[in-house]
Amino acid sequence: MAQDEAVIGCTGELLIGTRGPAGPGEVLVRVRGGTEAFLAWSDEPLPKGSTVLVVESRGTRQVDVIAWADPLDIPLG
């Protein structure tokens, strides 16, 4: 299937937590001036509500994600 290159590097929020190798969750990604839902796969389970970064597109509205914390949101100490 054709990859969706536009989503790689975008951030989103998990609507349904991922289960690691046991199965995908669902992520709402900010892309193309709006938001779109994709199946989200991750190496380790991630809980619902997590902010994630899309690192790969599997095509057919499926993406690989990792946990993400915006470095600009981290308080200086």
Side-chain angles (χ1 to χ4, degrees), residues 30-54:
R30 292 179 282 282
V31 65
R32 294 183 269 272
T35 55
E36 298 179 25
F38 294 83
L39 286 179
W41 295 86
S42 63
D43 289 338
E44 65 232 18
L46 298 171
K48 175 183 175 180
S50 295
T51 299
V52 295
L53 175 69
V54 177

Side-chain angles (χ1 to χ4, degrees), residues 5-73:
E5 302 290 333
V7 298
I8 298 172
C10 293
T11 59
E13 182 178 340
L14 289 178
L15 301 174
I16 299 172
T18 65
R19 296 177 289 145
E26 185 176 8
V27 63
L28 192 59
V29 178
R30 292 179 282 282
V31 65
R32 294 183 269 272
T35 55
E36 298 179 25
F38 294 83
L39 286 179
W41 295 86
S42 63
D43 289 338
E44 65 232 18
L46 298 171
K48 175 183 175 180
S50 295
T51 299
V52 295
L53 175 69
V54 177
V55 294
E56 190 65 49
S57 169
R58 295 185 174 200
T60 64
R61 304 203 58 81
Q62 297 185 60
V63 294
D64 291 332
V65 299
I66 59 172
W68 177 254
D70 189 333
L72 298 176
D73 291 340

